[in-house]
Amino acid sequence: MRLLTTVAALSCYLTQRRSEKNCAVLDDVVLDEMTSWERTAVGLVPTMGGLHAGHLSLIQRARQENSTVIVSIFVNPLQFSPNEDFNRYPRTLELDMQLCEQAGVDVIFAPTPEAMGVPQKSIQEAKVTQVIPPSAMITGLCGGFRQGHFQGVATIVTKLFNLVQPDRAYFGQKDGQQLAIIKRLVADLNFPIEIVACPTVREASGLALSSRNQYLTATQKQQAAVLYRGLQKAEAIFKSGVRNRSQLIAAVQQEVAMVSNVLVEYIELVEPTTLMSLVKVQEEGMLAIAARMGSTRLIDNILLSDRLPIIAIDGPAGAGKSTVARQVANKLGLVYLDTGSMYRAVTWLVLQNDIPLDDECAIAELASSCEIKLTPSQNLQSPVQVWINGSDVTQEIRTIEVTSKVSAIAAQGAVRKALVKQQQSWGKRGGLVAEGRDIGTHVFPDAEVKIFLTASVSERARRRQQDFKKQNQPEVSLEQLERDIAERDWKDSTRKVSPLQKAADAMEIQTDGLSISEVTDKIVSYCQQLFSQTSSL
Ligand SMILES: Nc1ncnc2c1ncn2[C@@H]1O[C@H](COP(=O)(O)OP(=O)(O)OP(=O)(O)O)[C@@H](O)[C@H]1O
Ligand SMILES: CC(C)(CO)[C@@H](O)C(=O)[O-]
Ligand code: BAL
């Protein structure tokens, strides 16, 4: 791991890194699987240091998804008002370096204000070019109590994005208003950066981890947990059907009022993307609170989502994921999101347009502008109907030509980005069963149910040999099939980008000796039991 403190050193490092053809830890076999984009994917985790488990969750996510991970540590003077805690803010670089080293970070970028070209002044006094988010996003919530704060955040994040030019940048849901503003900044200023939102990490008491928690006494820290308890009270009545603002806010107020030395600045219900105030929750709402305990300012929020549940089924090749996913969707009355057919449809379109498979720019153009529609089929024996740009390609995407080329297309970063974006937009309504390699870790990390479906290598080899026999394919020995499957597992799990990962909160199902219907029934009863507790279905 390197500690870089100047722009020149950072720029030199990034130039070197991007010119490298091979990642040191990967052998040629896996590299063949990776596109140039994957080999140089850079993940940035912007922080102000004082690292804790919340930051480490962002770093861990970045480590899983990128070839290079850069953590910036910079207490940004532009986002502090003169009366705030800029001087007192925790600065623990030595400890932060140890934590980053253990987490596999490649670079810590920790410049001085001078190296960053921002004077140690607040945004009002600074004489630098500034980035000003839409006023509607920065006047409410924390913006009403921290004049100029979000201009300061937007300015420094823009500088970091220009300096690092990451492929992905990681932010915590804990700072929900900041997250929404950064997503808007990326969209409005056309940064080619994927913003990855990471769930809030909490103490056992429910208190959101924050560098500022260090300011609290033990008693205050215990009392501060009331913020999250209040949000949970509102969440409980939301799940029982309450949607209006006044009742949700009152539920929080009532709970927080139990602790007299918590002085509430605001409790607000807003739309999480636009931050517009909500009278009632439509699809999704963010219930946010800010309060002071003595001189310490604390914030927290929860997302209230009305969507139907999402079931994410990940697992190694040959574990029966797609067959099981379709049957689970059918039994629960949900939609089976056949992600594999989406990549096949793009492959078909590439072939239709005679685009060479290595022309990644032309393919990116096609993938980011195509419109895919999946129509579930009631008959489990017949495939999901697939449309692309209005053409029904359900049969065409199953040809040998498409099958032989789909993995080369699916490995292209721009294709993945475009299709994951489309899948996530469908995910907003929920009611989906999706299967793949990183559905529960990357595509739908907030899925209500996560299953990791697996089977032994020998069992999967036996199943594949049976499939070949049914398809009158030439016989392949079990030994050869086991070698192929073991190699595939290794490639999928050691990929630097979107590797096959069992989500920490996934239930693993070992399917050796189980039939498809037995596995399906196992998952369906697990879901029904879970949903009956939360009345999600
Ligand atoms: N508990 C948490 N869970 C998830 N992400 C977090 C958590 N705390 C901070 N983050 C994220 O880490 C990044 C850096 O935040 P920052 O360095 O300001 O830490 P902080 O804990 O938020 O400190 P502060 O006391 O200033 O709120 C931000 O994207 C923030 O949302
Ligand atoms: C994003 C950020 C690092 C910019 O200074 C800061 O606002 C923070 O730590 O959340
Ligand atoms: N993550 C919070 C940054 C700030 O309060 O300045």
Side-chain angles (χ1 to χ4, degrees), residues 250-317:
V252 184
Q253 274 166 338
Q254 196 175 18
E255 185 67 23
V256 172
M258 315 272 268
V259 180
S260 58
N261 59 340
V262 171
L263 303 178
V264 173
E265 281 189 351
Y266 68 78
I267 301 171
E268 279 295 344
L269 176 69
V270 298
E271 202 289 323
T273 305
T274 63
L275 302 178
M276 290 297 102
S277 183
L278 288 177
V279 173
K280 63 182 288 193
V281 178
Q282 305 290 346
E283 277 187 358
E284 207 177 21
M286 180 169 78
L287 189 56
I289 183 170
R292 286 186 175 279
M293 290 195 80
S295 61
T296 306
R297 187 172 186 275
L298 300 171
I299 63 171
D300 200 351
N301 68 76
I302 53 165
L303 293 175
L304 300 172
S305 171
D306 215 5
R307 66 163 167 76
L308 284 168
I310 291 176
I311 299 169
I313 302 180
D314 289 307

Side-chain angles (χ1 to χ4, degrees), residues 331-500:
K331 291 209 168 187
L332 291 173
L334 302 176
V335 173
Y336 167 51
L337 176 54
D338 185 351
T339 54
S341 67
M342 296 175 74
Y343 289 100
R344 287 175 170 272
V346 171
T347 306
W348 176 84
L349 197 60
V350 166
L351 296 171
Q352 282 297 103
N353 288 273
D354 293 325
I355 298 174
L357 292 192
D358 59 357
D359 187 346
E360 295 197 16
C361 299
I363 292 171
E365 182 80 14
L366 207 66
S368 52
S369 58
C370 72
E371 194 188 336
I372 296 176
K373 199 173 76 171
L374 303 178
T375 315
S377 148
Q378 288 317 313
N379 167 10
L380 280 180
Q381 306 317 319
S382 50
V384 172
Q385 231 177 333
V386 185
W387 312 74
I388 187 162
N389 294 350
S391 303
D392 179 349
V393 293
T394 310
Q395 301 309 323
E396 288 74 5
I397 62 171
R398 301 287 162 194
T399 61
I400 290 180
E401 191 185 15
V402 168
T403 303
S404 65
K405 297 187 168 52
V406 65
S407 56
I409 295 293
Q412 296 187 19
V415 175
R416 267 192 65 73
K417 272 187 183 179
L419 294 191
V420 167
K421 190 175 173 186
Q422 211 164 136
Q423 290 156 15
Q424 290 174 332
S425 70
W426 291 336
K428 282 195 178 306
R429 288 193 299 278
L432 295 175
V433 181
E435 49 83 19
R437 188 174 54 219
D438 61 342
I439 304 293
T441 49
H442 181 67
V443 181
F444 297 123
D446 58 352
E448 282 74 7
V449 176
K450 296 180 185 179
I451 305 284
F452 191 77
L453 207 60
T454 185
S456 63
V457 170
S458 54
E459 170 71 8
R460 285 183 279 149
R462 187 186 62 74
R463 289 175 191 171
R464 182 166 293 180
Q465 194 178 58
Q466 277 186 344
D467 290 346
F468 283 163
K469 210 172 279 178
K470 279 181 203 156
Q471 295 157 9
N472 298 319
Q473 302 252 8
E475 171 96 15
V476 179
S477 72
L478 278 178
E479 294 71 23
Q480 180 56 49
L481 287 170
E482 286 182 12
R483 278 196 297 275
D484 294 347
I485 286 171
E487 184 185 342
R488 176 80 263 172
D489 286 355
W490 186 76
K491 280 183 187 177
D492 284 347
S493 47
T494 49
R495 294 171 67 98
K496 270 288 187 180
V497 182
S498 68
L500 168 62

Side-chain angles (χ1 to χ4, degrees), residues 46-48 76 79 153 156-157 171 178:
T47 82
M48 298 203 293
N76 170 31
Q79 65 194 71
V153 169
I156 211 67
V157 168
F171 291 86
Q178 170 175 272

Side-chain angles (χ1 to χ4, degrees), residues 48 52 79-81 83-86 88-90 137-150 153 174-178 207-217 220-221 224-225 227 261-268 286 288-301:
M48 298 203 293
H52 51 63
Q79 65 194 71
F80 288 82
S81 294
N83 62 332
E84 290 187 329
D85 57 335
F86 174 75
R88 187 161 76 118
Y89 197 84
M137 298 186 83
I138 57 174
T139 46
L141 303 175
C142 292
F145 297 86
R146 303 187 68 181
Q147 291 301 316
H149 171 68
F150 290 111
V153 169
K174 196 260 293 179
D175 297 85
Q177 182 172 12
Q178 170 175 272
L207 173 65
L209 293 186
S210 166
S211 306
R212 290 186 170 101
N213 290 355
Q214 297 176 31
Y215 302 159
L216 300 171
T217 65
Q220 285 176 327
K221 199 167 176 182
L227 269 62
N261 59 340
V262 171
L263 303 178
V264 173
E265 281 189 351
Y266 68 78
I267 301 171
E268 279 295 344
M286 180 169 78
I289 183 170
R292 286 186 175 279
M293 290 195 80
S295 61
T296 306
R297 187 172 186 275
L298 300 171
I299 63 171
D300 200 351
N301 68 76

